Amino acid sequence: MPKPPVIPLSVLDLSPVSANQSSGDALRSTLALAVASEAAGYSRYWLAEHHLNDGVAGSAPHVLAGLVASATKTIRVGTAATLLGNYRPLQIAESIGTLAAVFPDRLDLGFGRSGPPKSPGEPAPGQPSPSVDQEPEERVVEGLVVPAPRPIFGAVLPRKFRLQSELLGRFPGDTDNFENDVQDIIGFFTGDYRTRHGEEVTATPALGQSPQFWVHGSTAGPSARLAGKLGLPFGANYHVAPATVLDSIAEYRAHFKPSESLQEPHVIVSADVLVAPDEYSARRIGRGYAQWVHGIRSGQGAIPYPAPEDAADFALDPEAADLVKDRPDTRFVGDPHQVSDGLRTLQRATGAQELLITTIAHDPADRENSYQLLAEAWGL
């Protein structure tokens, strides 16, 4: 009896900066990991976009995508996601068009809607906020932990988050342009873009190139609905917002309309993963993860990832630990077989056609080894 096909695995890389490491070290580690991931059989290498984070060097995904594509030969390279409000549509089309022209049939462009809250204390778009009237509870769906949503900031929006928005030219409500921006960017590639006055625009070198377009989302909101409406593949964020991953996928599928490029819904689901030869080693090298996540989720910015032996120096108080509780609870940590079993549960519960793996550790060698062990156990 033939074995079922292996679900493709891909890599999501934030280029984390570790304690006692420079941003240059982190970026060179990204290039080394991309080469190793290609050799191990991963399908895609996607780059995230974060700004003003001491512990993350992945701030310029379009530039870094070019470096990754140059360092590799066959793996697909892309963004997960390009945050549209940080750019003008023409800039994105020209940047990705340049890469697609040089590396044909290898580029993926992921659209993300994240933007500034409309008022202090309101969660950033794409992030769940629990009701003050009802405390949601953790669920287990087909073996998958679906935690209660966590609040994102607090009563006061952190100064660094405000500063980031100011420096990037963001303004409250700018995510309302998301659908038009997505369609404009695609139009630059297809030649269908028109100005408000009906003028044709040629965006060289984007015109005629064909990157694969994705929409990424964390909730059952505009991003999921737009991906379905346009017949595009959808990236669901279990690693960022595990509480709402099933709802976001259901919303996407409910609104899906076949397109020229995609006849049926297609979902990739992200997961935080850390693999080592045995569970004890995996949990040891994973120390510091909650503290690192707290920096991002609190809006203060990720700290340089601490060494395992120093993680206790960054212990979180109970309130801070509660803010990020869902992330350690849904991280797949252990030996190759334990993690593979967990990822199969994730795939089964979500019905995903692909899985997107992100791994954070202090030592780049531990990250690379984690991806290698998973690839072998998964059968890539």
Side-chain angles (χ1 to χ4, degrees):
M1 184 175 180
K3 292 183 179 180
V6 175
I7 298 296
L9 299 183
S10 294
V11 176
L12 173 62
D13 191 2
L14 282 66
S15 301
V17 180
S18 297
N20 302 316
Q21 187 183 50
S22 70
S23 57
D25 293 331
L27 294 169
R28 284 184 286 271
S29 294
T30 282
L31 299 182
L33 180 59
V35 172
S37 299
E38 179 177 72
Y42 287 87
S43 298
R44 308 174 192 272
Y45 201 95
W46 284 353
L47 302 156
E49 179 177 341
H50 288 266
H51 299 279
L52 301 186
N53 281 279
D54 294 342
V56 173
S59 301
H62 303 156
V63 175
L64 192 51
L67 296 173
V68 169
S70 294
T72 55
K73 294 181 174 64
T74 58
I75 196 169
R76 295 193 67 87
V77 179
T79 61
T82 295
L83 305 182
L84 298 198
N86 295 345
Y87 314 87
R88 301 299 299 160
L90 179 61
Q91 292 175 299
I92 297 173
E94 290 178 336
S95 295
I96 297 299
T98 298
L99 297 179
V102 177
F103 305 101
D105 302 320
R106 288 186 60 199
L107 265 292
D108 298 333
L109 172 56
F111 300 117
R113 186 176 170 268
S114 179
K118 294 182 180 179
S119 61
E122 182 179 340
Q127 298 290 1
S129 180
S131 167
V132 295
D133 300 321
Q134 180 181 3
E135 278 295 323
E137 297 180 353
E138 179 179 293
R139 299 178 290 152
V140 177
V141 180
E142 296 187 40
L144 180 71
V145 174
V146 180
R150 318 308 300 164
I152 299 305
F153 299 126
V156 179
L157 193 65
R159 172 58 186 160
K160 180 171 281 191
F161 195 88
R162 288 186 175 281
L163 180 60
Q164 172 185 308
S165 296
E166 292 170 8
L167 293 174
L168 291 171
R170 304 302 300 267
F171 56 90
D174 63 5
T175 55
D176 294 342
N177 298 322
F178 184 65
E179 179 172 346
N180 288 336
D181 287 347
V182 168
Q183 302 221 46
D184 285 349
I185 292 167
I186 294 175
F188 284 127
F189 283 92
T190 62
D192 295 328
Y193 177 84
R194 299 292 184 273
T195 69
R196 287 179 298 174
H197 305 293
E199 298 170 286
E200 296 184 15
V201 174
T202 299
T204 306
L207 182 63
Q209 305 305 327
S210 53
Q212 191 174 100
F213 301 111
W214 291 72
V215 177
H216 295 269
S218 298
T219 66
S223 297
R225 291 191 288 272
L226 180 62
K229 173 183 175 181
L230 299 182
L232 295 177
F234 180 61
N237 296 326
Y238 184 69
H239 87 286
V240 171
T244 51
V245 66
L246 297 180
D247 295 334
S248 68
I249 293 171
E251 188 79 354
Y252 163 65
R253 290 180 176 141
H255 288 80
F256 183 82
K257 297 180 180 178
S259 65
E260 184 176 338
S261 60
L262 194 62
Q263 294 300 303
E264 297 180 350
H266 188 98
V267 176
I268 191 169
V269 176
S270 62
D272 255 311
V273 168
L274 184 59
V275 186
D278 57 81
E279 183 180 3
Y280 174 80
S281 298
R283 296 200 176 281
R284 181 186 63 79
I285 64 178
R287 294 170 186 164
Y289 174 74
Q291 296 91 325
W292 185 84
V293 169
H294 181 267
I296 296 176
R297 181 166 285 185
S298 67
Q300 300 302 324
I303 62 172
Y305 200 97
E309 59 271 21
D310 298 329
D313 297 337
F314 299 88
L316 300 176
D317 61 41
E319 182 178 357
D322 185 65
L323 181 68
V324 300
K325 181 179 184 299
D326 57 325
R327 295 289 297 275
D329 286 354
T330 57
R331 193 187 196 196
F332 298 94
V333 180
D335 66 42
H337 297 294
Q338 289 174 309
V339 172
S340 293
D341 287 346
L343 291 176
R344 289 189 186 94
T345 297
L346 175 65
Q347 189 275 325
R348 183 176 61 251
T350 60
Q353 283 73 35
E354 303 181 46
L355 295 178
L356 182 64
I357 308 303
T358 183
T359 294
I360 309 294
H362 174 264
D363 190 337
D366 288 331
R367 280 214 304 154
E368 188 171 320
N369 189 50
S370 177
Y371 281 107
Q372 181 64 43
L373 290 171
L374 177 59
E376 292 170 359
W378 195 258
L380 295 185

